[in-house]
Amino acid sequence: MKLSKLKKRLFVMAKNTVIICLVISFLITGCTSILSSDKKQREEFGENWMVIHTDKGEDTINKNIYGHFSEHLGRCIYDGIWIGEDSEIPNTRGIRNDVVEALRRIKIPVLRWPGGCFADEYHWKDGIGPREQRPGMINTHWGMVKETNAFGTHEFLDLCEQLECEAYVAGNVGSGTVEEMQDWVEYMTSDTDSEMANLRRMNGRDKPWRVKYFGVGNENWGCGGNMSPEYYADLYNRFQTYVRSYSGNRIVKIACGPGSENYPWMTTVMERSHRRMNAISLHHYVRGTGNWTKKGSATQFGESDWFALMKNTLTIYPLLEGNIEIMDQFDPRGRIGLFVDEWGTWWDTESGTNPSFLYQQNTLRDAVSAGIFLNAFNNYCDRVKMANIAQTVNVLQAMILTEGGKMIVTPTYHVFEMYTVHHDATMLPFELECSNYQFEDEEIPSIDVSASKDASGKIHLTLCNLNPTKSAELVCELQGTRPSSVTGRVLTADTLNAHNTFDKPEAVRPDAFDKFDFEDNILTATLPPKSVVLLGIE
Ligand code: AHR
């Protein structure tokens, strides 16, 4: 809607309605609230309507919502991160410089490792000491390939130091022992004169590392041991007893939570173990019209598959609500964090690559899906304290793809970069009424949003237009703020499946955005079809 038209309607409204009340309200609150005064009137301002309560934010968007996950799987660790000190590719102590720089640009806050399914067959003592003496193993989950253990505890924690991010280590419950887990935590974090701390010193690291996050198992309902929730919860209680906080390192203990809608798992583990955990995980992968065996192509698809992914991505909202409701029963004060420590899109592996390596391309469709996921985590930030997209490099919905010495970033990477403005900002509550995106006989909301205010008082909106063929005119009332300047950025492309390749690394990248206008506390914007828009309001 044009601003002039809006102003005219405002004028008519003001004349016809209770003008004195409005004046009084203006004098008292210092801001007009004309547009939110009546839902019916709201409808007059177009189909896409939003009120943001810029003065009512309470909860902080934990920057760890923008976390990542790296597993010994395919070419994530080897090639993607670790190339060894003798590689011709520029590296620091064996770790790729280009990848570290790219991840630092998106302010990676936390990195989870070594799995995934790999975590429950990983024996950490094989990955320490002189590299040439480390025993190899077979990575039975991911292609039966040889795991050299060249990248182990020291290398991972060196990576976290280079990235300046927190470490999230996932321990082995499925095939490991309590003693092994206890020793690992002591090895990494203890400053005492103990056997494990001395072993670490012998291996060249005098001071302990800070390892804030420790996961007690991964997907123990599946690849992590096929356990019942009762059995896992009892094991969790036992294992976690020995996950100690040494030498001032206060460790956050994470229990294995459900995959998607496995509510009975969440209920039982919460019931039996809530007193002994600081967080519980949730995993949620999405795809289009495909199924688990035929997931669909990452790049070859039409609108039906676009629509299906958008619809499936929106399931994150009821899924968070469902799991949080259960958590609330056992932890009404909200002490326990929900960590969505694996999420993202999962497509058929790229043809010509090892099917067990889960290498997939990443298009604009994945980027819009990521925008929705991240908005949802922001909007539920009172409970969601961490999320880790799967996975960092060369696996599933990766930020980064590598080919020898070459590296490109994906459309999803750009969403993470645009959303850095939300890191540790205050989430702003809002009401949104929007048109539906209709495809064949189904429909879903066409717009998805989150909003925050940063420490300097700047407000940011991240808006996804899910509709790939129609732009969306959005009218937004900023309650409690009169902007003096607004800036914008947009991520979009001409085609649904636009993506970056080693030949065209910048086919999809953010651009400046100026299709907005503002006056008083009303902001209007035209969101292009299939886009992610960032607005900064001062
Ligand atoms: O991210 C790939 C795999 O997906 C992880 O190893 C596992 O936890 C999940 O099933």
Side-chain angles (χ1 to χ4, degrees):
M1 178 188 289
K2 287 262 174 319
L3 206 58
S4 52
K5 200 166 153 199
L6 179 69
K7 271 162 61 187
K8 208 165 132 196
R9 285 200 191 169
L10 273 173
F11 177 70
V12 174
M13 268 173 62
K15 230 172 64 171
N16 295 348
T17 54
V18 275
I19 195 158
I20 298 163
C21 292
L22 290 175
V23 171
I24 290 169
S25 125
F26 174 76
L27 288 173
I28 291 171
T29 63
C31 78
T32 48
S33 188
I34 302 161
L35 300 179
S36 58
S37 61
D38 184 335
K39 191 168 166 240
K40 259 192 181 163
Q41 286 162 347
R42 221 181 265 181
E43 281 161 8
E44 278 187 37
F45 293 93
E47 26 180 30
N48 305 309
W49 237 103
M50 195 175 169
V51 178
I52 304 181
H53 304 278
T54 72
D55 47 358
K56 298 234 167 81
E58 278 176 9
D59 298 309
T60 301
I61 297 173
N62 194 315
K63 67 177 177 196
N64 288 338
I65 282 177
Y66 295 85
H68 296 265
F69 166 42
S70 58
E71 181 167 12
H72 287 241
L73 191 180
R75 296 191 305 111
C76 181
I77 297 294
Y78 299 107
D79 275 9
I81 291 171
W82 176 259
I83 40 176
E85 286 146 338
D86 298 332
S87 170
E88 286 177 0
I89 302 169
N91 68 83
T92 302
R93 296 181 292 280
I95 295 167
R96 289 181 79 120
N97 291 346
D98 52 357
V99 168
V100 167
E101 279 159 25
L103 292 172
R104 284 175 63 110
R105 278 200 296 276
I106 54 171
K107 300 184 181 156
I108 177 173
V110 58
L111 184 61
R112 178 174 183 250
W113 172 85
C117 296
F118 182 79
D120 281 282
E121 63 174 356
Y122 182 61
H123 300 287
W124 70 272
K125 284 184 182 157
D126 295 346
I128 55 169
R131 264 181 228 114
E132 60 289 353
Q133 287 171 26
R134 295 182 191 175
M137 66 176 278
I138 298 299
N139 189 335
T140 55
H141 270 294
W142 304 116
M144 303 297 270
V145 293
K146 176 120 190 240
E147 163 62 58
T148 62
N149 278 309
F151 189 89
T153 303
H154 289 248
E155 291 76 14
F156 171 66
L157 294 169
D158 184 16
L159 170 64
C160 292
E161 285 183 341
Q162 292 187 35
L163 293 169
E164 291 185 38
C165 75
E166 298 285 357
Y168 173 177
V169 172
N172 181 346
V173 172
S175 69
T177 65
V178 177
E179 185 185 10
E180 191 181 8
M181 187 176 284
Q182 177 175 30
D183 283 353
W184 199 7
V185 176
E186 184 183 319
Y187 183 90
M188 293 185 288
T189 60
S190 171
D191 206 10
T192 57
D193 182 18
S194 68
E195 192 190 339
M196 286 302 119
N198 288 333
L199 180 60
R200 183 194 68 235
R201 291 185 187 106
M202 221 174 75
N203 286 330
R205 173 80 185 197
D206 181 29
K207 285 283 149 218
W209 291 279
R210 172 184 152 91
V211 177
K212 192 162 174 197
Y213 300 101
F214 196 87
V216 181
N218 168 77
E219 294 195 356
N220 301 93
W221 34 266
C223 66
N226 287 303
M227 302 172 191
S228 67
E230 292 81 7
Y231 181 68
Y232 169 75
D234 293 347
L235 272 190
Y236 172 83
N237 291 342
R238 180 171 165 231
F239 272 69
Q240 68 76 35
T241 308
Y242 305 93
V243 174
R244 311 269 189 211
S245 288
Y246 293 98
S247 315
N249 179 68
R250 270 201 73 74
I251 211 149
V252 171
K253 298 177 193 179
I254 304 144
C256 166
S260 300
E261 293 91 2
N262 189 348
Y263 296 125
W265 179 280
M266 178 59 102
T267 307
T268 305
V269 175
M270 280 300 292
E271 187 175 16
R272 291 188 174 215
S273 306
H274 68 274
R275 285 193 189 84
R276 299 188 173 88
M277 64 172 81
N278 305 107
I280 187 162
S281 66
L282 170 67
H283 290 182
H284 191 51
Y285 288 100
V286 287
R287 53 182 170 262
T289 54
N291 54 40
W292 186 244
T293 38
K294 189 88 198 80
K295 302 179 186 75
S297 164
T299 52
Q300 305 306 308
F301 58 87
E303 192 177 340
S304 65
D305 248 297
W306 171 284
F307 178 87
L309 179 66
M310 296 303 126
K311 185 176 150 203
N312 293 339
T313 301
L314 288 170
T315 61
I316 188 63
Y317 282 99
L319 186 66
L320 291 178
E321 273 159 32
N323 280 293
I324 290 169
E325 203 180 302
I326 297 167
M327 292 178 75
D328 285 347
Q329 284 168 35
F330 301 97
D331 175 37
R333 291 168 62 188
R335 181 187 62 82
I336 299 168
L338 181 59
F339 286 8
V340 190
D341 62 15
E342 287 186 31
W343 65 271
T345 57
W346 193 323
W347 309 113
D348 290 338
T349 47
E350 201 73 6
S351 69
T353 65
N354 185 329
S356 304
F357 282 12
L358 310 186
Y359 177 83
Q360 68 189 38
Q361 250 296 356
N362 187 304
T363 69
L364 179 67
R365 177 177 62 160
D366 298 271
V368 177
S369 169
I372 299 168
F373 264 110
L374 293 170
N375 282 340
F377 300 149
N378 289 347
N379 290 329
Y380 282 92
C381 68
D382 58 332
R383 199 48 110 159
V384 179
K385 301 292 179 191
M386 188 190 290
N388 310 72
I389 189 169
Q391 300 193 3
T392 319
V393 195
N394 293 331
V395 169
L396 299 176
Q397 193 174 355
M399 302 299 106
I400 293 169
L401 303 176
T402 66
E403 205 176 78
K406 294 192 229 158
M407 184 203 89
I408 57 172
V409 299
T410 62
T412 300
Y413 173 95
H414 290 305
V415 172
F416 271 76
E417 186 273 314
M418 290 165 75
Y419 278 54
T420 53
V421 294
H422 290 306
H423 289 203
D424 287 338
T426 304
M427 187 270 279
L428 297 178
F430 61 85
E431 283 117 44
L432 169 71
E433 284 177 26
C434 70
S435 59
N436 278 341
Y437 161 30
Q438 222 162 347
F439 182 76
E440 292 176 346
D441 53 358
E442 290 189 278
E443 54 185 15
I444 55 176
S446 60
I447 297 176
D448 185 78
V449 189
S450 68
S452 71
K453 190 190 268 188
D454 70 16
S456 73
K458 189 166 176 181
I459 294 166
H460 291 101
L461 310 186
T462 44
L463 306 125
C464 302
N465 183 359
L466 284 53
N467 193 318
T469 55
K470 263 181 80 177
S471 60
E473 307 279 323
L474 178 71
V475 179
C476 177
E477 178 189 346
L478 298 157
Q479 275 194 8
T481 299
R482 287 163 183 274
S484 56
S485 79
V486 179
T487 52
R489 292 173 74 204
V490 62
L491 186 77
T492 188
D494 291 341
T495 55
L496 299 179
N497 66 347
H499 57 279
N500 296 333
T501 63
F502 291 93
D503 293 332
K504 285 196 179 146
E506 304 227 321
V508 186
R509 54 157 205 198
D511 269 326
F513 176 76
D514 60 7
K515 292 195 168 40
F516 58 81
D517 208 343
F518 62 97
E519 188 162 322
D520 295 333
N521 65 341
I522 303 298
L523 172 68
T524 58
T526 306
L527 311 176
K530 53 177 165 24
S531 68
V532 180
V533 168
L534 165 66
L535 294 174
I537 301 157
E538 283 176 288

